[in-house]
Amino acid sequence: MKGAFMQAKQLLQQRFSGMEVVGSTYPVPATKQALAQGLGLAQMVGFGFVIFGDKLFQFMGYAAPPELYVQHVAGNRVGVGVGIWFLGNFLQNQLLSTGAFEVFYDGTLVFSKLAQGRMPVVEELLSAVESLMTARLHN
């Protein structure tokens, strides 16, 4: 989305010289933030399990780690660790991504990707801002 913002900023400033265009992040719902933090914690627990699993099973009184652990984790610690890292980061990014691209002019919503379900067409964005500017000048 940063690339789309930079493109929109450049187009708006070219069409309307002197216009200040400011980007900001759209707030992520608290539930998604909490889930992402919980996922980060689960990721750390997973890393601990991969690294210290043998010792953990010993501590819990097992004579030997379960065969499932030995076959799938102990023999491929690096692969499992990388998998946990990639999957955890992918899921966290999905939770924290809002998909928002909201354009306001002087506090008035000009375009909402969340409402429209698509990115704006260049002329659509420029004409909407121009209409609002013209309306404000005549008031």
Side-chain angles (χ1 to χ4, degrees), residues 48-49 52-62:
F49 184 69
F52 301 111
D54 297 332
K55 303 236 184 298
L56 181 65
F57 285 115
Q58 272 181 345
F59 179 74
M60 293 187 325
Y62 285 84

Side-chain angles (χ1 to χ4, degrees), residues 22-57:
V22 179
S24 66
T25 56
Y26 194 82
V28 177
T31 54
K32 284 189 171 187
Q33 284 181 347
L35 283 171
Q37 287 176 340
L39 188 58
L41 178 61
Q43 220 176 351
M44 293 302 123
V45 169
F47 289 141
F49 184 69
V50 168
I51 296 167
F52 301 111
D54 297 332
K55 303 236 184 298
L56 181 65
F57 285 115

